[in-house]
Amino acid sequence: MSVPRKPTVLITNDDGPLGDESPFIEQFIGVLQRKLGWNIRVCIPTDQRSWIAKAFLVSEPVTLKEFAPSSDIIAEKGCWYMASGTPASCVNIALNHLFPDIDLVVRSNVANTCAMASGTLGAAMEAAIDGRRAVALSFAFYNGDISADKAENACHVACSIISKLWTSDAWSQSHASVFNINVPLILEPDPPVMITKMGQSRFGSLYHRLDNGANGSMHPATGLHIKDHKVDESSLTPSQKQLRVAVDDANPETGQDPGAQVDGSDGATYVFSASVKVNSSLEEGTDAWAVHRRAVSVTPLQPALHSLGNADQAALWVQLGFQPLP
């Protein structure tokens, strides 16, 4: 299949509406329009949907709402929507009911090194399963720094990389369905771009137990304020509002809650309070390894679980009385 000269691109995210929780999507779209002149379509969740992977909320109907971006963005009527579903449902509905002419799906947000839980990657995988080329684009920030000049530079770097992939039809040539791209928020206009493999992340509890009868408390690992059994959004900085992994210069730490305790009491209440530090593998050649070196990571992926039931484990299967694959 030949690659169109000027593609029609679907932009989505998992952070929801434009604002502090989704600080880069509008800026990225603006750079994409000015730099490449590509046709833009948008469908994003109406609510924060991070850490939801490729989930569909099958018992909940999805409602669409058209909206308009800021005046700096070129937006045609009928091209910008919010949907009351997950990132994957936004992509599925957009591709099959709103914009059937989409050539490329780009999923944009702040970096999350927990790939298996990432709504970013989940949305891109949904596009790939639908037979579309897809990019899972994330911006990695350091020490909470998401300043506008670094974000602008990162958007330009991202657009240049995506343009190269598109014009060379890298999907067909590499047999990849999704390119998972992490761009660091730095001022270097031409950072190194590394082809990487996915790193592995480990974390402990992602939930914090509220004290009985307490209406307000603080998560002991992250310092996030809890109010009315939810994270108090009003007390968070823009970077904290991401409630996800920020790349840090220090050695990775586990996300284990030091106050974790075994308590299955009837009526115990837990709130999602993911630590901003996750123990990510810095094995050479992984995406996390590249990002910690202020480089762009590009990881070619396919939407499939990797099967290990092959001849390499034949002796084990025979020992267990199973028939190994020929």
Side-chain angles (χ1 to χ4, degrees):
M1 180 172 57
S2 62
V3 176
R5 184 180 179 187
K6 183 185 290 187
T8 298
V9 183
L10 173 65
I11 305 292
T12 187
N13 71 0
D14 65 359
D15 296 323
L18 311 179
D20 286 343
E21 290 196 56
S22 184
F24 305 133
I25 184 171
E26 200 169 37
Q27 190 172 10
F28 170 70
I29 290 173
V31 173
L32 190 64
Q33 288 181 331
R34 296 191 303 272
K35 191 179 182 73
L36 302 179
W38 289 358
N39 304 311
I40 303 299
R41 307 289 184 266
V42 176
C43 188
I44 60 177
T46 55
D47 301 292
Q48 169 64 255
R49 296 293 191 182
S50 298
W51 290 82
I52 203 164
K54 194 185 167 300
F56 292 96
L57 305 180
V58 296
S59 63
E60 298 183 11
V62 177
T63 303
L64 295 178
K65 179 181 180 181
E66 189 171 0
F67 75 104
S70 68
S71 58
D72 296 332
I73 302 295
I74 301 171
E76 302 175 34
K77 183 172 178 56
C79 292
W80 286 62
Y81 288 92
M82 288 189 288
S84 61
T86 66
S89 61
C90 286
V91 169
N92 189 276
I93 290 173
L95 294 181
N96 293 285
H97 299 278
L98 298 177
F99 316 119
D101 60 340
I102 293 296
D103 301 302
L104 174 65
V105 176
V106 177
R107 172 64 185 78
S108 171
N109 76 289
V110 176
N112 184 349
T113 60
C114 306
M116 295 299 290
S118 170
T120 301
L121 203 50
M125 287 299 180
E126 176 61 25
I129 290 172
D130 200 87
R132 314 300 176 103
R133 298 174 180 87
V135 168
L137 172 65
S138 298
F139 296 103
F141 58 92
Y142 304 85
N143 301 316
D145 184 0
I146 55 174
S147 55
D149 54 347
K150 292 181 179 179
E152 182 76 9
N153 181 68
C155 289
H156 280 275
V157 171
C159 286
S160 295
I161 293 171
I162 294 172
S163 178
K164 289 178 181 179
L165 293 173
W166 179 256
T167 55
S168 66
D169 193 12
W171 290 264
S172 296
Q173 294 199 57
S174 67
H175 305 292
S177 299
V178 174
F179 286 98
N180 187 41
I181 302 175
N182 290 286
V183 180
L185 262 66
I186 55 178
L187 293 177
E188 169 58 52
D190 190 24
V193 180
M194 299 181 176
I195 296 296
T196 57
K197 60 184 178 181
M198 297 294 291
Q200 293 188 351
S201 300
R202 298 286 187 271
F203 46 78
S205 173
L206 297 177
Y207 285 81
H208 170 57
R209 184 187 182 280
L210 296 182
D211 296 332
N212 290 333
N215 190 37
S217 61
M218 180 181 291
H219 187 284
T222 66
L224 300 182
H225 291 273
I226 307 299
K227 183 178 181 181
D228 295 327
H229 306 302
K230 295 188 296 185
V231 173
D232 182 8
E233 301 287 339
S234 65
S235 68
L236 304 184
T237 65
S239 58
Q240 285 177 322
K241 284 188 177 182
Q242 299 303 318
L243 291 178
R244 55 163 50 80
V245 178
V247 178
D248 195 273
D249 291 326
N251 292 329
E253 303 174 12
T254 65
Q256 184 64 43
D257 182 345
Q261 54 183 309
V262 177
D263 187 351
S265 302
D266 189 26
T269 302
Y270 292 80
V271 292
F272 188 82
S273 304
S275 171
V276 295
K277 290 194 183 295
V278 172
N279 188 23
S280 300
S281 168
L282 293 183
E283 176 189 353
E284 185 173 355
T286 62
D287 48 2
W289 171 83
V291 169
H292 272 267
R293 282 155 181 75
R294 307 306 203 264
V296 178
S297 71
V298 177
T299 309
L301 298 171
Q302 290 183 339
L305 296 176
H306 179 59
S307 173
L308 297 177
N310 53 37
D312 292 344
Q313 294 86 34
L316 171 62
W317 310 137
V318 170
Q319 178 184 344
L320 297 176
F322 303 159
Q323 292 186 8
L325 291 172

